[in-house]
Coordinates of all heavy atoms in Angstrom, one line a residue:
M1 N -13.3 8.8 -1.3 CA -12.4 8.1 -2.3 C -11.0 8.1 -1.8 O -10.2 7.4 -2.4 CB -12.5 8.8 -3.6 CG -13.8 8.7 -4.2 SD -13.9 9.1 -5.9 CE -13.8 7.9 -6.9
T2 N -10.7 8.8 -0.7 CA -9.3 8.8 -0.2 C -9.2 8.0 1.1 O -8.2 8.0 1.8 CB -8.8 10.2 0.0 OG1 -9.6 10.9 0.9 CG2 -8.7 11.0 -1.3
A3 N -10.3 7.4 1.5 CA -10.4 6.7 2.8 C -10.0 5.2 2.6 O -10.7 4.3 3.1 CB -11.7 6.8 3.5
H4 N -8.9 5.0 1.9 CA -8.4 3.6 1.7 C -7.9 3.1 3.1 O -7.4 3.8 3.9 CB -7.3 3.6 0.7 CG -7.7 4.0 -0.7 ND1 -6.8 3.9 -1.7 CD2 -8.8 4.5 -1.2 CE1 -7.4 4.4 -2.8 NE2 -8.7 4.7 -2.5
A5 N -8.1 1.8 3.3 CA -7.7 1.2 4.5 C -6.3 1.3 4.8 O -5.9 1.6 6.0 CB -8.1 -0.3 4.5
E6 N -5.4 1.2 3.8 CA -4.0 1.4 4.1 C -3.6 2.8 4.5 O -2.8 3.0 5.5 CB -3.2 1.1 2.8 CG -3.4 -0.3 2.2 CD -4.5 -0.3 1.1 OE1 -5.5 0.4 1.3 OE2 -4.2 -1.0 0.1
R7 N -4.3 3.8 3.9 CA -4.0 5.2 4.3 C -4.5 5.4 5.7 O -3.8 6.0 6.6 CB -4.6 6.2 3.4 CG -4.2 7.6 3.7 CD -5.1 8.7 3.0 NE -6.4 8.7 3.5 CZ -6.8 9.2 4.7 NH1 -5.9 9.7 5.5 NH2 -8.1 9.2 5.0
L8 N -5.7 5.0 6.0 CA -6.3 5.2 7.4 C -5.4 4.4 8.4 O -5.1 5.0 9.5 CB -7.7 4.7 7.4 CG -8.7 5.4 6.5 CD1 -10.1 4.8 6.6 CD2 -8.8 6.9 7.0
S9 N -5.0 3.2 8.1 CA -4.2 2.5 9.1 C -2.8 3.1 9.3 O -2.3 3.2 10.5 CB -3.9 1.0 8.6 OG -5.1 0.4 8.5
A10 N -2.2 3.6 8.3 CA -0.8 4.2 8.4 C -1.0 5.5 9.2 O -0.1 5.8 10.0 CB -0.2 4.5 7.0
T11 N -2.0 6.3 8.9 CA -2.2 7.6 9.6 C -2.5 7.3 11.1 O -1.9 8.0 11.9 CB -3.4 8.3 9.0 OG1 -3.1 8.6 7.6 CG2 -3.7 9.6 9.7
R12 N -3.3 6.4 11.4 CA -3.6 6.0 12.8 C -2.4 5.6 13.5 O -2.1 6.0 14.6 CB -4.7 5.0 12.9 CG -5.1 4.7 14.3 CD -6.3 3.8 14.5 NE -7.4 4.6 14.1 CZ -8.6 4.1 13.7 NH1 -8.8 2.9 13.5 NH2 -9.6 4.9 13.4
A13 N -1.6 4.7 12.9 CA -0.4 4.2 13.5 C 0.6 5.3 13.8 O 1.2 5.4 14.9 CB 0.3 3.2 12.6
S14 N 0.7 6.3 12.9 CA 1.7 7.4 13.1 C 1.2 8.4 14.2 O 2.0 9.0 14.8 CB 2.0 8.1 11.8 OG 0.8 8.8 11.3
K15 N -0.1 8.4 14.4 CA -0.7 9.3 15.4 C -0.7 8.7 16.8 O -0.7 9.4 17.8 CB -2.1 9.8 15.0 CG -2.2 10.7 13.9 CD -3.6 11.1 13.6 CE -3.7 12.2 12.6 NZ -5.1 12.7 12.4
T16 N -0.7 7.4 16.8 CA -0.9 6.6 18.0 C 0.4 6.1 18.7 O 0.5 6.0 19.9 CB -1.8 5.4 17.8 OG1 -3.0 5.9 17.2 CG2 -2.2 4.7 19.1
H17 N 1.4 5.8 17.8 CA 2.6 5.2 18.3 C 3.8 6.0 18.0 O 3.9 6.8 17.1 CB 2.7 3.8 17.7 CG 1.6 2.9 17.9 ND1 1.3 2.3 19.2 CD2 0.6 2.5 17.2 CE1 0.2 1.6 19.1 NE2 -0.3 1.7 17.9
R18 N 4.9 5.7 18.7 CA 6.2 6.4 18.5 C 6.8 5.9 17.2 O 6.6 4.7 16.8 CB 7.1 6.1 19.7 CG 6.5 6.6 21.0 CD 7.3 6.1 22.2 NE 8.6 6.7 22.3 CZ 8.9 7.7 23.1 NH1 8.0 8.2 23.9 NH2 10.1 8.3 23.1
P19 N 7.6 6.7 16.6 CA 8.2 6.3 15.3 C 9.0 5.0 15.3 O 9.0 4.2 14.4 CB 9.1 7.5 14.9 CG 8.4 8.7 15.6 CD 7.9 8.1 16.9
V20 N 9.7 4.8 16.4 CA 10.5 3.5 16.5 C 9.6 2.3 16.5 O 10.0 1.3 15.9 CB 11.4 3.6 17.7 CG1 10.6 3.5 19.0 CG2 12.5 2.5 17.7
F21 N 8.4 2.4 17.1 CA 7.5 1.3 17.0 C 6.9 1.1 15.6 O 6.8 0.0 15.1 CB 6.3 1.5 18.1 CG 5.3 0.5 18.0 CD1 5.5 -0.7 18.8 CD2 4.1 0.6 17.3 CE1 4.5 -1.7 18.7 CE2 3.1 -0.4 17.3 CZ 3.3 -1.5 18.0
V22 N 6.5 2.2 15.0 CA 5.9 2.2 13.7 C 6.8 1.6 12.7 O 6.5 0.8 11.8 CB 5.4 3.6 13.3 CG1 4.9 3.6 11.8 CG2 4.3 4.0 14.2
A23 N 8.1 2.0 12.8 CA 9.1 1.5 11.8 C 9.2 0.0 11.9 O 9.6 -0.7 10.9 CB 10.5 2.1 12.1
D24 N 8.9 -0.7 13.0 CA 9.0 -2.1 13.1 C 7.7 -2.8 12.7 O 7.6 -4.0 12.8 CB 9.3 -2.5 14.5 CG 9.9 -3.9 14.7 OD1 10.6 -4.4 13.8 OD2 9.5 -4.5 15.7
C25 N 6.7 -2.1 12.3 CA 5.4 -2.6 11.9 C 5.4 -3.1 10.4 O 6.2 -2.6 9.6 CB 4.3 -1.6 12.1 SG 3.9 -1.2 13.8
T26 N 4.4 -4.0 10.1 CA 4.2 -4.4 8.8 C 2.8 -4.1 8.4 O 1.8 -4.4 9.1 CB 4.4 -5.9 8.7 OG1 5.8 -6.3 9.1 CG2 4.2 -6.4 7.3
L27 N 2.6 -3.4 7.3 CA 1.2 -3.1 6.8 C 0.8 -4.2 5.8 O 1.5 -4.4 4.8 CB 1.2 -1.7 6.1 CG -0.2 -1.3 5.8 CD1 -0.4 0.2 6.1 CD2 -0.6 -1.6 4.4
C28 N -0.2 -4.9 6.1 CA -0.7 -6.0 5.2 C -2.0 -5.6 4.5 O -2.9 -5.0 5.1 CB -1.0 -7.3 6.0 SG 0.4 -7.9 6.9
A29 N -2.0 -5.8 3.2 CA -3.2 -5.4 2.4 C -3.5 -6.5 1.4 O -2.7 -7.2 0.9 CB -2.8 -4.1 1.7
S30 N -4.8 -6.5 1.0 CA -5.2 -7.5 0.1 C -4.8 -7.2 -1.4 O -4.7 -8.0 -2.2 CB -6.7 -7.7 0.1 OG -7.4 -6.5 -0.1
A31 N -4.6 -5.9 -1.6 CA -4.1 -5.4 -2.9 C -2.9 -4.5 -2.7 O -2.7 -3.9 -1.6 CB -5.2 -4.7 -3.7
E32 N -2.1 -4.3 -3.7 CA -1.0 -3.4 -3.7 C -1.4 -2.0 -3.3 O -2.4 -1.5 -3.8 CB -0.3 -3.4 -5.0 CG 0.9 -2.5 -5.1 CD 1.7 -2.7 -6.4 OE1 1.2 -3.4 -7.3 OE2 2.7 -2.0 -6.5
P33 N -0.7 -1.4 -2.4 CA -1.0 0.0 -2.0 C -1.0 0.9 -3.3 O 0.0 0.8 -4.0 CB 0.0 0.4 -1.0 CG 0.5 -0.9 -0.4 CD 0.4 -1.9 -1.6
C34 N -2.0 1.7 -3.4 CA -2.0 2.7 -4.6 C -0.9 3.8 -4.3 O -0.3 3.8 -3.2 CB -3.4 3.3 -4.7 SG -3.8 4.4 -3.4
G35 N -0.7 4.6 -5.2 CA 0.2 5.7 -5.1 C 0.0 6.6 -3.9 O 0.9 6.9 -3.1
M36 N -1.3 6.9 -3.6 CA -1.6 7.7 -2.4 C -1.3 7.0 -1.1 O -0.6 7.5 -0.2 CB -3.1 8.0 -2.4 CG -3.6 8.7 -1.2 SD -5.4 8.9 -1.1 CE -6.0 7.2 -1.0
C37 N -1.6 5.7 -1.1 CA -1.4 4.9 0.1 C 0.1 4.6 0.3 O 0.6 4.7 1.4 CB -2.1 3.6 0.1 SG -3.9 3.8 0.2
A38 N 0.8 4.4 -0.8 CA 2.3 4.2 -0.7 C 2.9 5.4 -0.1 O 3.8 5.3 0.7 CB 2.8 3.8 -2.1
G39 N 2.5 6.6 -0.6 CA 3.1 7.8 -0.1 C 2.8 8.0 1.4 O 3.7 8.4 2.2
T40 N 1.6 7.6 1.9 CA 1.3 7.7 3.3 C 2.1 6.7 4.1 O 2.5 7.0 5.2 CB -0.3 7.4 3.5 OG1 -1.0 8.3 2.7 CG2 -0.7 7.6 4.9
I41 N 2.3 5.5 3.6 CA 3.1 4.5 4.3 C 4.5 5.1 4.5 O 5.1 5.0 5.5 CB 3.2 3.2 3.5 CG1 1.8 2.5 3.5 CG2 4.3 2.3 4.0 CD1 1.6 1.4 2.5
C42 N 5.1 5.7 3.4 CA 6.4 6.4 3.6 C 6.4 7.4 4.6 O 7.3 7.5 5.5 CB 6.8 7.1 2.2 SG 7.2 6.0 0.9
R43 N 5.4 8.3 4.6 CA 5.3 9.4 5.5 C 5.1 8.9 7.0 O 5.6 9.6 7.9 CB 4.2 10.4 5.2 CG 4.4 11.1 3.9 CD 5.6 12.1 4.0 NE 5.1 13.4 3.5 CZ 5.8 14.5 3.7 NH1 6.9 14.5 4.4 NH2 5.4 15.6 3.2
A44 N 4.4 7.8 7.1 CA 4.2 7.3 8.5 C 5.4 6.6 9.0 O 5.5 6.4 10.2 CB 3.0 6.3 8.4
G45 N 6.3 6.2 8.1 CA 7.5 5.6 8.6 C 7.4 4.1 8.8 O 8.2 3.5 9.5
I46 N 6.5 3.4 8.1 CA 6.3 2.0 8.1 C 7.3 1.4 7.1 O 7.4 1.8 6.0 CB 4.9 1.6 7.7 CG1 3.9 2.2 8.8 CG2 4.8 0.1 7.7 CD1 2.5 2.0 8.4
W47 N 8.1 0.4 7.6 CA 9.2 0.0 6.8 C 9.0 -1.4 6.0 O 9.8 -1.9 5.3 CB 10.5 -0.2 7.6 CG 11.1 1.1 8.0 CD1 10.4 2.3 8.4 CD2 12.5 1.4 8.1 NE1 11.3 3.3 8.7 CE2 12.6 2.8 8.6 CE3 13.6 0.7 7.9 CZ2 13.8 3.4 8.8 CZ3 14.8 1.3 8.1 CH2 14.9 2.7 8.6
R48 N 7.8 -1.9 6.2 CA 7.5 -3.2 5.5 C 6.0 -3.2 5.1 O 5.1 -2.8 5.8 CB 7.8 -4.3 6.4 CG 7.7 -5.7 5.8 CD 8.0 -6.8 6.7 NE 9.3 -6.6 7.4 CZ 9.4 -6.3 8.7 NH1 8.3 -6.1 9.5 NH2 10.6 -6.1 9.3
A49 N 5.8 -3.7 3.9 CA 4.4 -3.8 3.3 C 4.2 -5.1 2.7 O 5.1 -5.6 2.0 CB 4.1 -2.7 2.4
V50 N 3.1 -5.7 2.9 CA 2.8 -7.0 2.3 C 1.5 -6.8 1.5 O 0.5 -6.3 2.0 CB 2.5 -8.1 3.3 CG1 2.1 -9.4 2.7 CG2 3.8 -8.3 4.2
D51 N 1.5 -7.3 0.2 CA 0.3 -7.2 -0.6 C 0.1 -8.5 -1.3 O 1.0 -9.2 -1.6 CB 0.3 -6.0 -1.5 CG 1.4 -6.1 -2.6 OD1 1.2 -6.8 -3.6 OD2 2.5 -5.4 -2.4
C52 N -1.2 -8.8 -1.6 CA -1.6 -10.0 -2.3 C -1.7 -9.8 -3.8 O -1.3 -10.6 -4.6 CB -2.9 -10.6 -1.8 SG -2.7 -11.2 -0.1
Q53 N -2.3 -8.7 -4.2 CA -2.6 -8.5 -5.6 C -2.0 -7.2 -6.2 O -2.0 -6.2 -5.5 CB -4.1 -8.5 -5.9 CG -4.5 -8.4 -7.3 CD -6.0 -8.5 -7.5 OE1 -6.7 -8.1 -6.7 NE2 -6.4 -9.1 -8.6
A54 N -1.4 -7.3 -7.3 CA -0.7 -6.1 -7.9 C -1.8 -5.1 -8.3 O -2.9 -5.4 -8.6 CB 0.1 -6.5 -9.2
E55 N -1.4 -3.8 -8.3 CA -2.3 -2.7 -8.6 C -2.9 -2.9 -10.1 O -4.1 -2.7 -10.3 CB -1.6 -1.4 -8.6 CG -2.4 -0.2 -9.0 CD -3.5 0.2 -8.0 OE1 -3.5 -0.3 -6.9 OE2 -4.3 1.1 -8.4
R56 N -2.1 -3.4 -11.0 CA -2.5 -3.6 -12.4 C -3.6 -4.7 -12.4 O -4.6 -4.5 -13.1 CB -1.3 -4.0 -13.3 CG -1.8 -4.3 -14.7 CD -0.6 -4.5 -15.6 NE 0.1 -3.2 -15.7 CZ 1.2 -3.1 -16.3 NH1 1.9 -4.1 -16.8 NH2 1.8 -1.9 -16.5
G57 N -3.4 -5.7 -11.6 CA -4.4 -6.8 -11.6 C -5.7 -6.3 -10.9 O -6.8 -6.7 -11.4
L58 N -5.6 -5.5 -9.9 CA -6.8 -4.9 -9.3 C -7.6 -4.0 -10.3 O -8.8 -4.1 -10.4 CB -6.4 -4.1 -8.0 CG -7.6 -3.5 -7.3 CD1 -8.5 -4.6 -6.7 CD2 -7.1 -2.6 -6.1
K59 N -6.8 -3.2 -11.0 CA -7.5 -2.4 -12.0 C -8.2 -3.2 -13.1 O -9.4 -2.9 -13.4 CB -6.4 -1.5 -12.7 CG -6.9 -0.5 -13.8 CD -5.7 0.2 -14.3 CE -6.1 1.2 -15.4 NZ -5.0 1.9 -16.0
E60 N -7.6 -4.3 -13.5 CA -8.3 -5.2 -14.5 C -9.5 -5.8 -13.8 O -10.6 -6.0 -14.5 CB -7.3 -6.2 -15.0 CG -6.3 -5.6 -15.9 CD -5.1 -6.6 -16.2 OE1 -5.3 -7.8 -15.8 OE2 -4.2 -6.2 -16.8
L61 N -9.4 -6.2 -12.6 CA -10.5 -6.9 -11.9 C -11.7 -6.0 -11.7 O -12.9 -6.4 -11.8 CB -10.0 -7.4 -10.6 CG -11.0 -8.3 -9.8 CD1 -11.3 -9.6 -10.5 CD2 -10.4 -8.6 -8.4
T62 N -11.5 -4.7 -11.4 CA -12.6 -3.7 -11.1 C -13.0 -3.1 -12.4 O -13.8 -2.1 -12.3 CB -12.1 -2.7 -10.1 OG1 -11.0 -2.0 -10.6 CG2 -11.8 -3.3 -8.8
S63 N -12.6 -3.5 -13.5 CA -13.0 -3.0 -14.8 C -12.7 -1.5 -15.1 O -13.4 -0.8 -15.8 CB -14.5 -3.2 -15.1 OG -14.8 -4.6 -14.9
N64 N -11.7 -1.0 -14.4 CA -11.3 0.4 -14.6 C -12.5 1.4 -14.5 O -12.7 2.2 -15.3 CB -10.6 0.5 -15.9 CG -9.8 1.8 -16.0 OD1 -9.5 2.4 -15.0 ND2 -9.5 2.2 -17.2
R65 N -13.2 1.3 -13.4 CA -14.4 2.1 -13.2 C -14.1 3.5 -12.9 O -13.2 3.8 -12.1 CB -15.3 1.5 -12.1 CG -15.8 0.1 -12.4 CD -16.6 -0.4 -11.2 NE -17.0 -1.8 -11.5 CZ -17.3 -2.6 -10.6 NH1 -17.4 -2.3 -9.3 NH2 -17.6 -3.9 -10.9
P66 N -14.8 4.5 -13.5 CA -14.5 5.9 -13.3 C -14.7 6.3 -11.8 O -14.1 7.3 -11.4 CB -15.4 6.7 -14.3 CG -16.3 5.7 -14.8 CD -15.8 4.3 -14.5
E67 N -15.6 5.7 -11.1 CA -15.9 6.1 -9.7 C -14.8 5.5 -8.8 O -14.8 5.9 -7.6 CB -17.3 5.6 -9.3 CG -17.5 4.1 -9.1 CD -17.8 3.4 -10.4 OE1 -17.8 4.0 -11.5 OE2 -18.2 2.2 -10.3
N68 N -13.9 4.7 -9.3 CA -12.9 4.1 -8.5 C -11.6 4.1 -9.3 O -11.0 3.1 -9.7 CB -13.2 2.6 -8.1 CG -12.2 2.1 -7.1 OD1 -11.6 2.8 -6.4 ND2 -12.0 0.8 -7.1
P69 N -11.0 5.4 -9.5 CA -9.8 5.5 -10.3 C -8.7 4.8 -9.7 O -8.5 4.7 -8.5 CB -9.6 7.0 -10.4 CG -10.3 7.6 -9.3 CD -11.5 6.6 -9.0
S70 N -7.8 4.2 -10.6 CA -6.6 3.5 -10.1 C -5.4 4.0 -10.9 O -5.5 4.4 -12.0 CB -6.9 2.0 -10.3 OG -5.8 1.2 -9.9
L71 N -4.3 3.9 -10.2 CA -3.0 4.3 -10.9 C -2.3 3.0 -11.2 O -2.2 2.1 -10.3 CB -2.1 5.1 -10.0 CG -2.6 6.5 -9.5 CD1 -1.7 7.0 -8.5 CD2 -2.7 7.4 -10.7
D72 N -1.8 2.8 -12.4 CA -0.9 1.7 -12.7 C 0.5 2.1 -12.4 O 1.3 2.4 -13.2 CB -1.1 1.4 -14.2 CG -0.3 0.1 -14.6 OD1 0.2 -0.5 -13.6 OD2 -0.3 -0.3 -15.7
L73 N 0.7 2.3 -11.1 CA 2.0 2.7 -10.5 C 2.4 1.8 -9.4 O 1.8 1.9 -8.3 CB 1.8 4.2 -10.0 CG 3.1 4.8 -9.3 CD1 4.2 5.0 -10.3 CD2 2.7 6.2 -8.8
P74 N 3.3 0.9 -9.6 CA 3.7 0.0 -8.5 C 4.2 0.7 -7.3 O 4.9 1.7 -7.4 CB 4.9 -0.8 -9.2 CG 4.7 -0.7 -10.6 CD 4.1 0.7 -10.8
C75 N 3.8 0.2 -6.1 CA 4.2 0.9 -4.9 C 5.7 0.9 -4.7 O 6.3 1.8 -4.1 CB 3.5 0.2 -3.7 SG 4.0 -1.5 -3.3
R76 N 6.4 0.0 -5.3 CA 7.9 -0.1 -5.2 C 8.5 1.2 -5.9 O 9.5 1.7 -5.4 CB 8.4 -1.3 -6.0 CG 8.2 -2.6 -5.2 CD 8.7 -3.8 -6.0 NE 8.7 -5.0 -5.2 CZ 7.7 -5.8 -5.0 NH1 6.5 -5.4 -5.4 NH2 7.8 -6.9 -4.3
M77 N 7.8 1.7 -6.9 CA 8.3 2.9 -7.5 C 8.2 4.1 -6.6 O 9.0 5.0 -6.5 CB 7.6 3.2 -8.9 CG 8.0 2.2 -9.9 SD 7.2 2.5 -11.5 CE 8.0 4.0 -12.0
V78 N 7.0 4.2 -5.9 CA 6.8 5.3 -5.0 C 7.8 5.2 -3.8 O 8.4 6.1 -3.4 CB 5.3 5.3 -4.4 CG1 5.1 6.3 -3.4 CG2 4.3 5.4 -5.6
F79 N 7.9 4.0 -3.3 CA 8.9 3.7 -2.2 C 10.3 4.1 -2.6 O 11.1 4.6 -1.8 CB 8.8 2.3 -1.7 CG 7.5 1.9 -1.0 CD1 7.0 0.6 -1.1 CD2 6.7 2.9 -0.4 CE1 5.8 0.3 -0.5 CE2 5.4 2.5 0.1 CZ 5.0 1.2 0.1
A80 N 10.7 3.7 -3.8 CA 12.1 4.0 -4.3 C 12.4 5.5 -4.3 O 13.5 5.9 -4.2 CB 12.3 3.4 -5.6
A81 N 11.3 6.3 -4.5 CA 11.5 7.8 -4.6 C 11.6 8.4 -3.2 O 12.0 9.6 -3.1 CB 10.4 8.4 -5.3
G82 N 11.3 7.6 -2.1 CA 11.4 8.1 -0.8 C 12.7 8.0 -0.1 O 13.7 7.5 -0.8
Q83 N 12.8 8.3 1.1 CA 14.0 8.2 1.9 C 14.2 7.0 2.7 O 15.3 6.8 3.3 CB 14.2 9.5 2.8 CG 14.3 10.7 1.9 CD 14.2 12.0 2.8 OE1 13.6 12.0 3.8 NE2 14.9 13.0 2.3
L84 N 13.1 6.2 2.8 CA 13.2 5.0 3.6 C 13.4 3.8 2.7 O 13.0 3.8 1.5 CB 11.9 4.7 4.4 CG 11.5 5.8 5.4 CD1 10.1 5.4 6.0 CD2 12.5 5.9 6.5
S85 N 14.0 2.7 3.2 CA 14.2 1.5 2.5 C 13.0 0.6 2.9 O 13.2 -0.2 3.8 CB 15.5 0.9 2.8 OG 15.7 -0.3 2.1
I86 N 11.9 0.7 2.2 CA 10.7 -0.1 2.5 C 10.7 -1.4 1.8 O 10.8 -1.5 0.6 CB 9.5 0.7 2.2 CG1 9.5 2.0 3.0 CG2 8.2 -0.1 2.5 CD1 8.4 3.0 2.7
E87 N 10.6 -2.5 2.6 CA 10.5 -3.8 2.1 C 9.1 -4.1 1.6 O 8.1 -3.8 2.3 CB 10.9 -4.8 3.1 CG 10.8 -6.3 2.7 CD 11.1 -7.3 3.8 OE1 11.2 -6.9 5.0 OE2 11.2 -8.5 3.5
V88 N 9.0 -4.7 0.4 CA 7.7 -5.1 -0.1 C 7.7 -6.6 -0.3 O 8.5 -7.1 -1.0 CB 7.3 -4.3 -1.5 CG1 6.0 -4.8 -2.0 CG2 7.4 -2.8 -1.3
I89 N 6.7 -7.2 0.3 CA 6.5 -8.7 0.1 C 5.2 -8.9 -0.7 O 4.2 -8.4 -0.3 CB 6.4 -9.4 1.5 CG1 7.7 -9.1 2.3 CG2 6.2 -10.8 1.3 CD1 7.6 -9.4 3.7
G90 N 5.4 -9.5 -1.9 CA 4.2 -9.7 -2.8 C 4.5 -9.0 -4.1 O 5.6 -8.5 -4.3
P91 N 3.6 -9.0 -5.0 CA 2.3 -9.6 -4.9 C 2.3 -11.1 -5.1 O 3.4 -11.7 -5.6 CB 1.5 -8.9 -6.0 CG 2.5 -8.6 -7.0 CD 3.8 -8.3 -6.2
Q92 N 1.2 -11.8 -4.9 CA 1.1 -13.2 -5.1 C 0.7 -13.4 -6.6 O 0.4 -12.5 -7.3 CB -0.1 -13.8 -4.2 CG 0.2 -13.5 -2.8 CD 1.4 -14.1 -2.3 OE1 1.8 -15.3 -2.6 NE2 2.2 -13.4 -1.5
P93 N 0.8 -14.6 -7.1 CA 0.4 -14.9 -8.5 C -1.1 -14.4 -8.6 O -1.9 -14.5 -7.8 CB 0.5 -16.4 -8.6 CG 1.5 -16.8 -7.6 CD 1.3 -15.8 -6.4
E94 N -1.3 -13.8 -9.8 CA -2.6 -13.1 -10.1 C -3.8 -14.0 -9.8 O -4.8 -13.6 -9.2 CB -2.7 -12.6 -11.5 CG -1.8 -11.4 -11.7 CD -2.3 -10.2 -10.8 OE1 -3.5 -9.9 -10.7 OE2 -1.4 -9.5 -10.3
D95 N -3.8 -15.3 -10.2 CA -5.0 -16.2 -10.0 C -5.2 -16.4 -8.5 O -6.4 -16.4 -8.1 CB -4.8 -17.5 -10.8 CG -3.6 -18.3 -10.4 OD1 -2.6 -17.7 -10.0 OD2 -3.6 -19.5 -10.6
E96 N -4.2 -16.6 -7.7 CA -4.3 -16.8 -6.3 C -4.8 -15.5 -5.6 O -5.7 -15.5 -4.8 CB -3.0 -17.2 -5.7 CG -2.6 -18.6 -6.1 CD -1.2 -18.9 -5.5 OE1 -0.9 -18.4 -4.4 OE2 -0.5 -19.7 -6.1
A97 N -4.3 -14.3 -6.0 CA -4.7 -13.1 -5.4 C -6.1 -12.7 -5.8 O -6.9 -12.3 -4.9 CB -3.8 -11.9 -5.9
A98 N -6.5 -13.0 -7.0 CA -7.9 -12.7 -7.4 C -8.9 -13.6 -6.7 O -10.0 -13.1 -6.3 CB -8.1 -12.8 -8.9
A99 N -8.5 -14.8 -6.4 CA -9.4 -15.7 -5.7 C -9.6 -15.2 -4.2 O -10.7 -15.3 -3.7 CB -8.8 -17.1 -5.7

């Protein structure tokens, strides 16, 4: 349940590359990074994230299933609590993102 693609990618990037390289990377995701993934992006030192669908829209689309818990916590709020100025591009309009 914690093996989200964003978390795995950010962890791998921070283990494989120097911080100056990682800071110049952009993490792209089909949905907004959840709170866990947003925290990992901060810790990895990635300064830009692109997402297509808002976390709230993803929660509605997946019917709020208990086996796939979701936080209605925008990644921008997690990033704002950190020490990096992380740029967020997205989300896209809900109908386009869901498609």
Side-chain angles (χ1 to χ4, degrees):
M1 296 198 96
T2 61
H4 296 186
E6 302 93 319
R7 189 195 65 75
L8 295 175
S9 296
T11 299
R12 180 171 290 155
S14 67
K15 287 182 173 184
T16 307
H17 302 288
R18 300 170 72 100
V20 68
F21 178 84
V22 174
D24 197 37
C25 291
T26 301
L27 189 139
C28 298
S30 57
E32 180 174 2
C34 70
M36 173 187 66
C37 291
T40 304
I41 291 166
C42 289
R43 294 293 230 166
I46 298 170
W47 288 38
R48 187 177 310 105
V50 177
D51 63 81
C52 290
Q53 185 172 32
E55 177 72 9
R56 178 174 290 171
L58 181 63
K59 182 178 177 182
E60 291 170 6
L61 187 65
T62 60
S63 302
N64 195 19
R65 296 180 185 159
E67 70 274 10
N68 187 26
S70 184
L71 297 171
D72 188 1
L73 176 65
C75 66
R76 285 174 171 82
M77 291 181 69
V78 177
F79 295 151
Q83 296 172 329
L84 299 177
S85 179
I86 299 174
E87 176 186 11
V88 180
I89 301 168
Q92 303 302 315
E94 286 298 318
D95 57 333
E96 291 178 27

